[in-house]
Amino acid sequence: MPFDKHAASLYDERVIPEVIRRLQEGTTAEVCFDEGSRALYAADASNYRQVPIGVVIPKTVEDVVAAVAICREYRLPVLSRGGGTSLAGQCCNVAVVLDMTKYLHKIISLDAEARTAVVEPGTVLDRLRERAEEHHLTFAPDPSTHSHNTLGGMIGNNSCGVHSIMGGRTSENVIELDVLTYDGLRMTVGPTSEAELEGIINAGGRRGEIYAGLRALRDRYARLIRERMPNIPRRVSGFSLDELFDENGFNVARALVGTEGACVIVLRAKLRLVDSPPARALAVLGYPDVFVACDHVPAVMSHQPTALEGMDRALADDIRKSHLHESELSMLPAGDGWLVVEFGGATAEEACARAERAVRELQDHDKGISGAVVYKNRADVKKIWEVRKSALGVTAHPSGRLPTWSGWEDAAVPPARLGEYLRQFRKLLDRYGYQGDLYGHFGQGCVHVSISFDLDSEAGIARYRKFAREAASLVVACGGSLSGEHGDGQSRGELMNIMYGEDMIEAFRKFKSLWDPDWKMNPGKVVDPYPMDADLRIKGMTGSHQKVVTFFKYPADAGNFNQALLRCVGVGECRKTEAGTMCPSYMATRDEKHSTRGRAHLLFEMLKGEVIKEGWESESVKEALDLCLSCKGCKHECPVNVDMATYKAEFFHHYYRRRRRPLKARLFGHIDRWAALGTKFPGPVNSLLHGGITGRLAKQIAGIAPERELPRLAAPGFRAWYAHRKPADSRHEVMLWADTFNNYFTPWVAQAAVEVLEACGYRVRLPPERLCCGRPLYEFGFLEEARERLRRIMQVLEEPLRQGMPIVALEPACTSVFRHELQELFPGDEVALQLRRNTCHFGEFMSRQARLPKLRRKALLHMHCHHKAVLGTEADRALIGAVGLDCEIPDTGCCGMAGSFGYEREKYVVSIAAGERRLLPRVRLCDADTLIIADGFSCREQIRQATGRQAMHMAEVMQMAWRQDF
């Protein structure tokens, strides 16, 4: 009889205070049973939501063992969680969640000669791959989440990825596992010889009992296992009972891979490494449609590529509509379906020769190819892979179409039957009226597709259930697996009887029971799962009746804040720590609540109102958002363009409606007013704020970190300087946006911009009155005032805008207000649209000039976060090239200052940590003659205060170039 999974997840709430006390006293772990933490871990990257009992973040393996023992004593279910990137619901449950990622992420050893590595479960895949690449080795499976997924999670899911062609699934790359059972047995498992097996069983005890049960299970179900488990590259569904056969070495470790935390907790893993070709080349093949492309997969695979991906025309169209990678799409050859084929080699020439040879031979024998191109340049290869990598985000929220969801997103069939399967699958989608782009790991027969399911209404959910059962029958008829990469979890668990039959399900049930007799390990997943349509996260959340009254208009999300929050699909790209900008505070703390995903989940739970019941007044949400730097890195780097800076401003607008804002909010939010007042008496004000006793007192009152130095007011300010000079005589006019910071604190930057613009033949005008874009107001939720600032700007500048006058801004944060916040507050407003179009950053404007000076100097350029996220960097890169600078543009991430953020006392540590991650150490390595360039006022202040180097604005660099060259 099936186990009562519902009983397995039941617990006595009255014991929780005692459990918390025991965990706090008996471990060094972080024990988080508060409502915010429970809400934070209620969802993963799937369609499901289940609120956990609590969260334990162990610092040591001993913490894990002790925590499980305490949970066992009180009969609490346990869920061991990796990066939470799973799409089938296996990483959320009514259980005590063990988050291994914050502390248990060490690479314990790497033996290049033996080609092995030993890792802790929270180790991020890319950290291992980076270490292995030093020896031209790699861990072959590499899902698209490789920058932040964990090896423990990959073991749980039996993950694959683009390059699993090189070495197979995760199970084929696991040598040994150090595991812990719910009843406290800790042991190392791996391949077992016949003699070892006999010895273990004869030794008795719990270990002997498990091994005896495994042998008996194998023997009883051997015929069924051989008949029912398809021998295909991407069989991930179900438990790998075939690993217990003698020919597979009675490999208990590999049998446990893919059990999704339902049998054991992985404490440590010994992994196999394989050769990694130093050079790669890509052959991109075009076909009349994706189905013809699939038909030719076996022929392409005969050339032994290191990766073979496919995608259809619909995906390319959605990428184009999203305005992502438009130039890269032009690199695809003619066709309506494509295969992207990677070849490796010891050198670029060898890899390219292999790719070109394969293309020639395929074209000679294959008349279905409509176009082909080979790329060997690393930059070109990266561009093509970026197109493929963008698929998840683009298809989740396709432009002009309904959002799509996981639920049937990774079925796999024998590669030789891929074309047959996809033709029938497309007909099935059409019959149900579903939309979805087809792409995936075609070389191994695995297809990804996010589908426009209606998971909100009862009728839509019933239709989803019916579709899933038909799709399951189709993939089984084609000899395939329900899952080829993402696992079964709750999404496909109940469909496994279609694939395996009830007898095999009983074998899986017995396998789990051997390891977990009480069924307390991630209950309700894989075997005897919760229904696939239970616990759906978005059910009842997207209807018009649920629309929340907000200040921002969210035009990209139909004006619906609920829908905006549902942009976060939970894949956790924001949890990366080594590259990019998103998310600076998470990179510093490694705390889930400081990731973009964590904050989005908390805001979602706030609207849900079940765990977080205080709504906009929630302290849990406030605490998480308080450390958001509003860098907008997520708007650019998140695959679905979550815009946490806007959500944060929205939240604080509501949060402070019934509260008095702190003094720091009034000081920093209205910096333009205080600066204007202070500039009337700059000497006394500077003396007061920078004096010993008075300065310390001022910082203490204002909540400013004592380590920080406040910027000094300049005398005269820029507008005062401008008022006493005669503008250049030219019929070409440009308006310079005199922002608060460059006006009152660094007027020499604006003065340099005037000199350069005049040298280019322009008459420089300023706005007729002192205006501020209001950027500091957003940080503290002063949205009414911010809107009125913009309204006033549009009134004052309406006539110059109608005349088409360009507005050149010096501060990236100000430019981004006009490029982004303006449309969020005034969507469809004609003047707002004109202001957005006419505004450009200084570097953008200068890159369009025909006559530019040369400056032969070395430089280091740090891009402001808003510059990267909203404005784009192409124009500034072009300007640097045109001027002739020998300029390095490293991936420096966020400087950590972020306006007022870095000045606030309680945020100073995170601010410095963000800067020290890359930017500040890189600046310190520059010699004295190297120019440090940073357009952001905050960036220049962080660099100056932390390194002693004075960074320059691009306007100053151009001024220097003009004075030297002309």
Side-chain angles (χ1 to χ4, degrees):
M1 292 292 292
F3 190 86
D4 187 351
K5 54 188 174 292
H6 300 290
S9 64
L10 296 177
Y11 66 99
D12 185 351
E13 291 187 8
R14 294 172 298 180
V15 306
I16 299 305
E18 179 69 10
V19 170
I20 295 171
R21 183 186 65 78
R22 292 282 305 280
L23 287 167
Q24 290 172 336
E25 293 177 354
T27 74
T28 63
E30 295 178 17
V31 181
C32 312
F33 280 61
D34 59 285
E35 65 174 28
S37 297
R38 295 174 65 228
L40 199 61
Y41 287 83
D44 53 8
S46 72
N47 297 329
Y48 298 99
R49 170 187 176 272
Q50 288 152 342
V51 181
I53 299 167
V55 180
V56 176
I57 305 176
K59 296 181 178 178
T60 65
V61 167
E62 289 69 29
D63 282 343
V64 179
V65 175
V68 171
I70 293 168
C71 289
R72 178 173 67 251
E73 187 176 340
Y74 293 92
R75 299 191 58 76
L76 300 180
V78 171
L79 164 59
S80 175
R81 172 167 157 149
T85 63
S86 301
L87 295 176
Q90 52 269 72
C91 284
C92 55
N93 212 328
V94 182
V96 175
V97 173
L98 300 174
D99 183 350
M100 308 289 200
T101 61
K102 188 171 183 179
Y103 299 108
L104 296 179
H105 51 71
K106 292 192 292 292
I107 299 173
I108 296 168
S109 65
L110 191 150
D111 187 332
E113 188 173 341
R115 300 187 179 192
T116 63
V118 178
V119 300
E120 291 183 322
T123 304
V124 169
L125 173 59
D126 269 2
R127 303 295 80 74
L128 175 61
R129 293 171 72 206
E130 288 160 3
R131 281 277 301 276
E133 284 291 352
E134 296 172 9
H135 309 281
H136 300 301
L137 299 172
T138 193
F139 187 73
D142 60 337
S144 60
T145 53
H146 53 80
S147 68
H148 54 284
N149 70 19
T150 67
L151 286 153
M154 292 180 67
I155 291 166
N157 264 22
N158 199 6
S159 300
C160 303
V162 171
H163 290 98
S164 57
I165 284 176
M166 293 165 51
R169 299 163 294 173
T170 295
S171 59
E172 294 161 271
N173 296 277
V174 167
I175 299 171
E176 289 180 348
L177 296 176
D178 182 6
V179 300
L180 175 71
T181 64
Y182 185 77
D183 54 14
L185 175 66
R186 181 176 176 179
M187 60 179 173
T188 299
V189 297
T192 318
S193 69
E194 189 64 34
E196 289 171 328
L197 180 58
E198 287 295 333
I200 292 169
I201 293 173
N202 291 336
R206 180 75 174 103
R207 186 183 184 214
E209 175 189 313
I210 291 172
Y211 274 73
L214 291 174
R215 183 172 67 178
L217 179 69
R218 176 202 64 184
D219 294 344
R220 177 179 175 181
Y221 289 94
R223 180 186 59 80
L224 204 60
I225 294 169
R226 295 187 190 279
E227 287 177 358
R228 299 281 178 85
M229 304 198 90
N231 185 23
I232 61 175
R234 286 296 188 96
R235 172 175 49 80
V236 172
S237 280
F239 297 154
S240 298
L241 302 185
D242 54 333
E243 294 289 357
L244 300 176
F245 288 140
D246 290 337
E247 64 264 30
N248 294 326
F250 200 86
N251 199 318
V252 178
R254 292 186 176 182
L256 285 170
V257 174
T259 54
E260 302 183 13
C263 296
V264 298
I265 294 172
V266 174
L267 302 176
R268 192 169 290 181
K270 185 176 183 180
L271 306 173
R272 177 179 74 128
L273 304 175
V274 299
D275 285 324
S276 177
R280 314 286 173 99
L282 284 186
V284 188
L285 307 175
Y287 294 86
D289 57 46
V290 72
F291 311 115
V292 175
C294 291
D295 293 338
H296 293 94
V297 163
V300 177
M301 283 296 292
S302 69
H303 291 271
Q304 298 181 311
T306 54
L308 172 51
E309 300 291 289
M311 56 186 181
D312 68 359
R313 164 61 64 183
L315 175 60
D317 289 343
D318 279 334
I319 293 172
R320 187 173 288 107
K321 289 175 187 175
S322 70
H323 304 294
L324 288 172
H325 308 299
E326 291 180 274
S327 61
E328 288 86 342
L329 286 173
S330 65
M331 298 169 67
L332 299 178
D336 282 343
W338 297 272
L339 296 179
V340 179
V341 196
E342 182 188 85
F343 293 91
T347 64
E349 290 71 23
E350 180 186 338
C352 186
R354 292 191 61 202
E356 290 173 341
R357 182 168 60 251
V359 169
R360 282 197 306 272
E361 293 179 9
L362 287 166
Q363 287 179 318
D364 287 344
H365 297 92
D366 185 352
K367 303 309 177 187
I369 297 177
S370 54
V373 62
V374 172
Y375 294 106
K376 65 177 181 179
N377 180 279
R378 282 193 176 191
D380 290 336
V381 169
K382 182 179 180 182
K383 288 177 182 178
I384 296 294
W385 280 130
E386 286 298 320
V387 171
R388 165 62 182 85
K389 188 178 178 181
S390 69
L392 175 61
V394 167
T395 57
H397 296 274
S399 178
R401 292 202 282 115
L402 292 171
T404 63
W405 308 98
S406 59
W408 187 262
E409 78 292 334
D410 76 321
V413 298
R417 300 186 68 177
L418 186 57
E420 171 195 350
Y421 166 67
L422 276 192
R423 287 181 176 91
Q424 295 182 61
F425 183 70
R426 175 52 71 187
K427 289 178 182 177
L428 180 63
L429 287 172
D430 292 343
R431 182 153 54 82
Y432 275 82
Y434 288 147
Q435 295 175 316
D437 303 344
L438 303 174
Y439 63 98
H441 313 298
F442 284 11
Q444 294 191 312
C446 181
V447 180
H448 292 320
V449 54
S450 295
I451 301 173
S452 56
F453 298 127
D454 170 9
L455 301 179
D456 192 2
S457 71
E458 295 291 350
I461 293 169
R463 190 170 178 79
Y464 155 64
R465 279 190 63 88
K466 186 179 179 184
F467 168 86
R469 297 197 72 83
E470 287 195 50
S473 297
L474 171 60
V475 78
V476 170
C478 290
S481 171
L482 307 182
S483 172
E485 185 162 40
H486 300 152
D488 299 307
Q490 186 169 342
S491 184
R492 283 171 285 276
E494 73 167 85
L495 302 174
M496 281 205 300
N497 62 342
I498 296 175
M499 178 176 172
Y500 287 117
E502 191 52 45
D503 288 344
M504 274 293 290
I505 299 299
E506 181 61 24
F508 294 155
R509 192 176 288 127
K510 291 180 182 298
F511 181 83
K512 173 176 169 60
S513 295
L514 283 170
W515 297 98
D516 180 27
D518 294 328
W519 280 52
K520 294 293 186 182
M521 301 284 282
N522 206 10
K525 310 292 177 171
V526 190
V527 182
D528 293 336
Y530 303 121
M532 62 185 293
D533 56 350
D535 314 304
L536 290 170
R537 185 166 66 99
I538 71 167
K539 184 178 179 181
M541 288 294 290
T542 62
S544 58
H545 64 286
Q546 291 288 351
K547 191 170 180 179
V548 178
V549 177
T550 56
F551 205 87
F552 285 108
K553 305 306 180 185
Y554 305 100
D557 295 293
N560 193 331
F561 188 56
N562 295 43
Q563 190 167 314
L565 290 181
L566 287 173
R567 277 191 170 273
C568 179
V569 294
V571 295
E573 183 77 12
C574 46
R575 286 172 53 92
K576 61 188 179 182
T577 59
E578 300 300 319
T581 301
M582 174 184 71
C583 176
S585 49
Y586 176 78
M587 291 180 182
T589 68
R590 298 180 71 101
D591 194 320
E592 175 73 14
K593 70 171 174 272
H594 297 141
S595 68
T596 303
R597 177 180 74 178
R599 291 171 177 134
H601 281 179
L602 284 173
L603 284 164
F604 176 89
E605 291 292 331
M606 178 193 80
L607 295 186
K608 193 84 173 175
E610 295 176 4
V611 183
I612 297 177
K613 300 177 181 179
E614 301 85 3
W616 295 104
E617 298 183 6
S618 168
E619 290 299 326
S620 297
V621 179
K622 190 257 185 187
E623 180 187 349
L625 288 173
D626 210 34
L627 274 191
C628 170
L629 285 82
S630 300
C631 69
K632 290 186 177 286
C634 48
K635 179 170 173 56
H636 175 63
E637 295 176 19
C638 169
V640 288
N641 306 120
V642 167
D643 181 15
M644 191 52 60
T646 300
Y647 304 169
K648 174 185 178 179
E650 184 76 57
F651 174 82
F652 279 115
H653 166 73
H654 293 272
Y655 179 83
Y656 282 119
R657 293 191 77 157
R658 298 183 183 179
R659 287 178 171 84
R660 184 175 175 81
R661 284 181 174 84
L663 177 61
K664 65 180 180 182
R666 299 195 295 276
L667 291 175
F668 287 120
H670 296 101
I671 185 66
D672 61 313
R673 295 178 182 172
W674 300 117
L677 183 62
T679 200
K680 298 179 184 296
F681 313 99
V685 171
N686 284 333
S687 297
L688 180 68
L689 295 180
H690 296 88
I693 297 175
T694 56
R696 287 193 296 272
L697 182 61
K699 291 179 187 179
Q700 186 175 356
I701 293 171
I704 296 170
E707 299 88 346
R708 285 298 185 192
E709 178 188 345
L710 290 169
R712 292 177 179 270
L713 289 164
F718 169 66
R719 289 184 69 94
W721 170 85
Y722 181 87
H724 290 88
R725 69 185 303 275
K726 182 180 179 182
D729 187 18
S730 173
R731 62 186 181 88
H732 300 294
E733 288 191 321
V734 63
M735 182 172 288
L736 183 64
W737 182 257
D739 65 89
T740 295
F741 299 99
N742 286 313
N743 182 37
Y744 294 115
F745 300 107
T746 55
W748 52 87
V749 170
Q751 293 165 14
V754 170
E755 181 178 329
V756 171
L757 291 170
E758 289 183 343
C760 289
Y762 293 94
R763 177 187 175 94
V764 179
R765 288 178 53 183
L766 301 188
E769 63 182 67
R770 181 174 62 84
L771 298 171
C772 176
C773 71
R775 165 59 68 195
L777 296 170
Y778 296 92
E779 183 69 15
F780 303 101
F782 289 106
L783 294 189
E784 283 127 330
E785 195 170 338
R787 182 178 60 187
E788 291 312 307
R789 295 279 183 97
L790 289 175
R791 198 188 303 278
R792 179 60 184 164
I793 289 168
M794 289 189 289
Q795 290 172 350
V796 172
L797 301 185
E798 183 172 1
E799 187 56 34
L801 289 171
R802 293 195 186 283
Q803 294 172 3
M805 184 180 295
I807 298 176
V808 178
L810 298 171
E811 175 61 40
C814 297
T815 318
S816 74
V817 169
F818 298 141
R819 291 282 186 87
H820 181 242
E821 276 80 6
L822 187 65
Q823 67 171 337
E824 292 289 315
L825 291 169
F826 298 93
D829 185 285
E830 200 173 312
V831 181
L833 181 60
Q834 195 66 43
L835 176 55
R836 184 185 181 208
R837 288 173 175 168
N838 285 29
T839 302
C840 59
H841 193 63
F842 179 82
E844 288 180 285
F845 188 79
M846 291 305 301
S847 69
R848 303 169 190 165
Q849 306 309 308
R851 178 172 171 266
L852 291 172
K854 300 296 181 183
L855 183 63
R856 307 299 181 186
R857 291 285 297 272
K858 287 179 62 178
L860 175 79
L861 173 63
H862 166 71
M863 290 280 193
H864 187 282
C865 295
H866 291 194
H867 205 147
K868 292 177 283 191
V870 179
L871 313 181
T873 64
E874 293 79 7
D876 286 78
R877 291 173 185 270
L879 175 60
I880 285 166
V883 174
L885 282 170
D886 177 10
C887 188
E888 180 189 358
I889 313 177
D891 177 13
T892 47
C894 177
C895 75
M897 184 64 90
S900 64
F901 184 97
Y903 287 97
E904 296 178 46
R905 183 168 48 235
E906 64 275 19
K907 300 173 183 177
Y908 175 77
V909 172
V910 171
S911 169
I912 292 297
E916 291 291 355
R917 191 179 69 84
R918 288 202 172 180
L919 171 62
L920 300 177
R922 186 65 196 83
V923 169
R924 293 187 190 105
L925 289 175
C926 292
D927 58 49
D929 292 332
T930 299
L931 303 178
I932 310 298
I933 307 173
D935 281 359
F937 174 81
S938 293
C939 306
R940 296 196 299 275
E941 278 297 294
Q942 179 80 309
I943 291 169
R944 182 183 68 81
Q945 295 194 28
T947 70
R949 291 294 300 269
Q950 183 62 57
M952 303 175 70
H953 190 283
M954 185 62 74
E956 297 176 274
V957 176
M958 293 300 299
Q959 180 189 52
M960 179 186 295
W962 225 286
R963 288 178 175 180
Q964 287 187 14
D965 202 32
F966 294 107

